[in-house]
Structures are given as structure tokens and as C-alpha cells.
Amino acid sequence: MTLPRAATVAPRAETLRPPWPFTGREEELDLVRRSLAAGRPGIVVTGPAGCGRTRLAAEAVRGTDCVRVSPTPETRTTPFGAFAPVLPESVTLHRAVRLLSGVRLLCVDDAHLLDNASAALLHHLAVQGRTRLLVTVTDGVPAPAAVTRLRTGESLPRLALAPLPDDATDPLLEAAAGGPLDPLTAHRLRGLCRGDLRLLRDLTAAVHDAGLLTRLPETGLWAWRGPVPPTPALRERAAAVLTRPCPEEREALDRLAFAEPLPLPAGTLDLRALERLEADALIEVADDDTVRLAHPLHGPMLRATAGRLRARRLSGLRGPLTDALDTEAAALLDGIARDDVRTARTPVGEWLVAEGAPVPAGYAAVRARFARLRGELREAAAWAREGLSGTPGHPACRRELALTAARSGEPGPDDGVTDDPDAYDAVRLGAPERALELLPPDGVFARHARALARADGAALDRVAAELGERGFLLYAAEAYAQAASAHRDPTAARIARTRAAALARRCQGARTPALSGPALGELTARQRQIVTLAASGLTNRQIAERLTLSVRTVGNHLYGAYARLGTADRTTLPWLVEQPA
């Protein structure tokens, strides 16, 4: 029997859109391709729903002689249903194994949807080892026992995909929206999707197609304010709550959508209904006995599909927003006072922005300061602008906007608004002795100042790690950069420099004096050339074509450069190649 070179069972029909750019998975792509080289058994790629397993697999086998199979829920009820395009009818397991053993490369996407016979076939092929396999499996969903054994890495190497970091999703959002988005809109979209890239595409496309994006005059970026458009694709995503048949359960869901979190015991809610909703993972009960919807998209979808009268009744259940905003601001200021700016829950402020309602300038200034200290510079500037849009000239918002611009390497105002920087800014700017006069002696910033004054690389490493744990990513990056200069051991310096680059990359365009400094002096001329091209976004294959080298040679030079730079992460290369001056 002759098998087709590329057989595909399409999982479902959907609106055709241009493909998303492939971004943020370059290292994983190289690993998968190496696993599919001659003499290798293949690999199993696992991860949460929507993390990009299918796209990674498609990129890995692009241009190869590959047989591709994509099972669906419908094929799961038919023996060998997923393999129907490449196997004859009424085939036995033994014959199926024999037929597919001649295939050089077999890609099985969403293997958790395989029927038991197909799963057994896949397992036999993995054990036999004659066919290279690329298998993708979703975490946390039921799967045949044979696929579960593969998912554990028993027969094939396993690559577990984590959700893409926020900065890696920016090109995806821009492609779907048709242009760059303002930080609060991007934050809202990512928050509603919780790492699910398919949902991110559906939601961004829905917002774009509905004409809900408006250009902000201050920045020229596209912003989304207002409700979620209840498109068919998004209704399907929220079907678990939108189609709940029990009236008591639907009432509880709607009340939460308009006024979460609600406290327990909730006299207006049916506790048995809440128990059923919790058992189905549709709500969450926190340690403080407050109830929330489990998925961030469900609330907006319930609000968007409520009738006008129902929405008016349920909106009246929400308490005064002023008190809630004051509570959120107080919690943020308390974290700042305790030198702890890890993520805090601030649903009311984000709800105001999402609905396009005015944001009090005092609250916006606190949100901007909290974001700035976390290194979220674009979000900090966006919050400051939200406050200034309603209260032009507000001094705290203007100060935060100026401080954020200074950390981004942008020109700030010349009206003295930045003359009163934070006390520990003296440490960042290389004047630790002055900071020691102003800081509490036992705090992490005082320890940073003492370590910098002594040029103690090891102590700076420890301080940087603690700053990172407390959420001060930009300060942690700067401390690691200072440690790199203080270390006499080249290996310790490379490690600190790489950690500084990795953290700085997450700080949304931070460009500060402490982060400046060349990193390529330790590389050979060819390594510098290849690393520079890799940092610009070129793949190994593109670099090979440009320099007339083999892909293997490029990979060898790149990995040698990684060893000298102390990194194994391609995404840190832009920071290591050209640190901001």
C-alpha cells in the first residue's frame, strides 16, 4: 500500500484568517527538529490547551516528507478512525503497525482524542522505534491509557510547553488587531484568555471585526474599551456558563458576573447551586470565603448576553465603587510599604478601564506606581495617562509618567516633576552612600546599597534574587547587572549578566544606566556575527542561508556562544548583544 506524503484530517472548519506569526518558541522549535533528525525516535509535546502545540508541530515538519493525522471527537468512536485516510478499511492492529512502520515521519496532533485502537497503534510504533513520531497531547484532559504512557515520557522524550510569556504574545496581538495595542488593552486581552492562544486570537479578532478598537490620541495605539462582543466563537468558549440549564445556577452565575466577588454565606445565592458549580470548576471559593467565577472570560460573556432589564437589576447589586477602589489602592500601597509588589488582585480598577469608565486620578497614580516598581513600564505610563485624561495636570500622575519615561530612556518633562525620585533610586544610579542615609537599615534596598558600596558581587546576586522574588523585576535586573561588573570570576559574571538580560527583557523597554554594557567581547568574530543575526530574530536556517553555512554549523557556533555568554535562552540575546546605553 502506498501512503500519501501528507495526509491530514482537519479538526474543524472555521473562518479563514492569515496565519499568526511564529514567535516565542524558537528554542523549542530547534529542540523538536533535532528530535526528528535521522536516528532519533521523535518527541511528545505536551502543554495546556491553546499553548501553541499544533503550531509548533506544523513549523517543525514544514517542508518534510511527513504523514500528519489530526483526530477529532467524532473520530474517537471509530476504531482507527483518526488513521482512516492512511489505512485501509477493516485493518488489524498488526497490519496497521506493519504498514505505518515504513513511514519515515508521523505527526499525530491532539493524540488525547485518539480512539483506543489508534492509541494502541501509536504506542506500538513508539516502542518499535522504526517510525519517527511527533505527538502532541493536551494536559489535564482524559486520554487513552496508551497515550497517557506516551505523555509521561515513557517511550519518547517529552517536551512540556509552558504558556508564552507576555512579551512573546505582543506580535500575535498586533497581527490579529491590525496594529500595536495600548498596554491596558493587551493586558485585558491576555487576562481574559489566561494563556490560551486560540482564545486570544478569537477574542482579538472579534474585537477587531466588531470595530471596537479606537486610536488613542496621546500614543497612536489601538485601545479597546467596552463590553466583549458575543460572537458565535466566543459564545462557544463560554457555553459552560451560558447554557447552564438550572435557573438557580444561572442566577448565581449572573450575580457573580455583575458583582463578584460575593461573600459566603450569601443569603441571596442558593448554596446547593454553588456547590454544583464548584464541583464543575465554574466558580472558585477563596480562603476568605468569597466566591468568584473560575474563568476570566465568563463574567464579561454573561454580562454581554444579559438582557437590558436583567443587566439593570443585577448592576444594582454592586456596592459603591469608590469604597472598592480605596480598598484596592490601600492594598497596593501596603505592598509597596512592605517592599512586596507581587501581583495583587485589582478587579474593580480593571473593570473601570474595560468598561471605558473614568478612573479617579489618585487611584490611577497608585496603579501606575505599583506597575512601575514591578518593571511594567508601558502599563505604568498607560495608568498615568488614564488618570490624566480625567484630571489633566494631576501631579502624582504626571510624576509617574515622567519617572516611567526616564526608566524607558525617553526624554522627560523639563518642569521639575522628576526632581523627587524614590529614595532607592540613588542605588540604581550608582550613589549607594546617599541611599543609605534615606533607607530603613534592614530593608532589601539598604542591603542592595551596602552590597554595591562594597562591590560585593555575591551579595549583589543575593539581593537581586530577593528583589525578583518580591516583584521588583527592573531593580533585580539592575542589581544583577551591577553584580556582573563586580564579579572577578568570569563564569559568575556571565551568569549575572544573563540573568540581568532575562529580567530586563520582561520590563517593557527599560533602558537605564545600570543596564548598559557590552556583552560580546568574549565571543569569536563568527560567534558575534551569528549571535547578532539570531538576536535580530533570524532562525538558524535563515542565518545559514545568509552566511552560506550549514544549519548544523550555525547551531554549533550558537551553542558555543551560549556557553560563553552563560545563557541557553535565545530570547535574551537582544539584551546581551546590544545593551541600552
Side-chain angles (χ1 to χ4, degrees):
M1 175 184 177
T2 301
L3 295 175
R5 288 194 171 188
T8 304
V9 180
R12 55 187 165 271
E14 55 186 37
T15 302
L16 294 178
R17 293 185 178 277
W20 276 35
F22 184 79
T23 179
R25 298 286 191 203
E26 288 79 9
E27 294 298 323
E28 293 92 337
L29 180 60
D30 282 346
L31 189 153
V32 172
R33 283 177 171 166
R34 293 198 304 272
S35 299
L36 300 179
R40 300 288 184 89
I43 194 168
V44 176
V45 181
T46 67
C51 71
R53 299 178 319 280
T54 297
R55 181 62 187 277
L56 175 63
E59 291 292 326
V61 301
R62 186 184 301 278
T64 64
D65 187 11
C66 174
V67 173
R68 285 176 282 183
V69 175
S70 297
T72 68
E74 291 73 23
T75 63
R76 197 170 193 172
T77 59
T78 304
F80 300 113
F83 288 88
V86 296
L87 291 175
E89 295 183 7
S90 304
V91 69
T92 64
L93 177 61
H94 176 74
R95 189 183 179 202
V97 172
R98 184 161 53 84
L99 288 170
L100 290 178
S101 294
V103 174
R104 291 183 178 182
L105 176 58
L106 174 64
C107 176
V108 181
D109 191 25
D110 287 339
H112 52 280
L113 295 177
L114 288 173
D115 59 275
N116 288 329
S118 296
L121 168 60
L122 183 62
H123 182 71
H124 275 74
L125 292 172
V127 172
Q128 183 176 275
R130 296 178 184 173
T131 301
R132 294 193 298 277
L133 299 174
L134 174 53
V135 182
T136 73
V137 187
T138 299
D139 289 338
V141 297
V147 173
T148 299
R149 288 197 294 272
L150 285 178
R151 182 163 52 190
T152 61
E154 178 182 305
S155 303
L156 293 173
R158 173 174 173 255
L159 170 62
L161 290 185
L164 276 179
D166 286 353
D167 60 324
T169 65
D170 287 340
L172 307 180
L173 289 171
E174 184 171 338
L181 298 172
D182 94 291
L184 298 186
T185 296
H187 176 79
R188 181 186 182 189
L189 288 165
R190 285 191 288 256
L192 288 173
C193 299
R194 196 181 279 177
D196 187 329
L197 298 181
R198 291 179 190 158
L199 177 56
L200 186 66
R201 176 167 187 159
D202 288 345
L203 178 57
T204 310
V207 171
H208 174 269
D209 294 349
L212 300 180
L213 293 173
T214 57
R215 196 179 292 276
L216 296 177
E218 305 92 344
T219 62
L221 301 175
W222 291 104
W224 169 40
R225 304 290 188 264
V228 170
T231 63
L234 296 181
R235 283 177 179 270
E236 182 181 353
R237 291 291 192 143
V241 292
L242 295 180
T243 61
R244 202 71 182 182
C246 174
E248 292 79 14
E249 294 174 12
R250 180 59 190 265
E251 176 69 12
L253 291 169
D254 282 342
R255 284 175 174 268
L256 288 170
F258 280 86
E260 68 176 341
L262 290 176
L264 286 177
T268 58
L269 297 179
D270 186 299
L271 291 181
R272 291 189 179 276
L274 291 178
E275 291 173 1
R276 293 191 294 270
L277 292 171
E278 183 183 25
D280 290 343
L282 295 179
I283 64 170
E284 295 174 346
V285 181
D287 292 338
D288 61 355
D289 283 341
T290 57
V291 185
R292 299 176 183 271
L293 294 167
H295 197 285
L297 181 66
H298 288 170
M301 285 301 296
L302 287 165
R303 294 196 297 271
T305 54
R308 181 174 298 179
L309 293 177
R310 188 173 183 81
R312 182 181 300 174
R313 174 176 67 84
L314 294 170
S315 297
L317 302 175
R318 190 185 300 119
L321 294 183
T322 302
D323 294 343
L325 287 174
D326 289 344
T327 300
E328 288 185 0
L332 296 176
L333 291 172
D334 179 65
I336 294 172
R338 292 184 290 103
D339 293 338
D340 186 346
V341 292
R342 284 171 285 193
T343 303
R345 299 197 72 159
T346 51
V348 180
E350 290 168 10
W351 182 87
L352 282 179
V353 171
E355 296 296 317
V359 178
Y363 175 85
V366 173
R367 289 298 303 268
R369 183 183 178 193
F370 194 84
R372 172 174 58 83
L373 293 175
R374 285 175 48 81
E376 297 167 345
L377 301 185
R378 297 191 187 104
E379 290 189 24
W383 277 108
R385 292 190 186 97
E386 285 290 323
L388 290 172
S389 66
T391 310
H394 189 272
C397 288
R398 291 177 60 248
R399 176 177 182 272
E400 288 303 324
L401 194 59
L403 290 173
T404 300
R407 284 154 179 73
S408 302
E410 300 172 358
D414 55 4
D415 54 3
V417 73
T418 59
D419 289 346
D420 182 27
D422 292 321
Y424 39 76
D425 278 357
V427 185
R428 302 174 47 252
L429 300 176
E433 296 82 4
R434 177 172 177 266
L436 285 171
E437 301 173 359
L438 304 173
L439 294 167
D442 298 329
V444 63
F445 293 102
R447 293 197 295 278
H448 184 186
R450 287 193 291 270
L452 183 59
R454 299 194 306 268
D456 187 336
L460 285 167
D461 281 338
R462 291 192 294 271
V463 165
E466 183 177 353
L467 286 168
E469 291 172 358
R470 291 171 176 263
F472 294 94
L473 298 190
L474 178 54
Y475 296 105
E478 292 175 323
Y480 274 127
Q482 292 162 343
S485 299
H487 277 302
R488 296 184 178 181
D489 177 21
T491 300
R494 284 195 295 268
I495 293 173
R497 183 168 54 243
T498 300
R499 290 173 176 169
L503 287 171
R505 182 174 56 85
R506 298 166 57 188
C507 292
Q508 301 182 349
R511 305 176 80 79
T512 70
L515 292 177
S516 63
L520 298 185
E522 303 172 26
L523 303 182
T524 67
R526 179 61 88 181
Q527 285 174 336
R528 285 198 298 273
Q529 186 182 31
I530 290 175
V531 165
T532 300
L533 292 173
S536 70
L538 297 185
T539 66
N540 286 12
R541 188 175 302 277
Q542 291 169 328
I543 295 171
E545 292 172 354
R546 177 171 296 191
L547 301 181
T548 320
L549 299 172
S550 70
V551 176
R552 183 182 297 275
T553 298
V554 170
N556 289 339
H557 279 300
L558 196 53
Y559 291 123
Y562 284 164
R564 294 195 178 194
L565 293 173
T567 184
D569 185 357
R570 195 185 194 100
T571 59
T572 65
L573 291 181
W575 284 95
L576 293 172
V577 169
E578 186 179 358
Q579 291 286 347

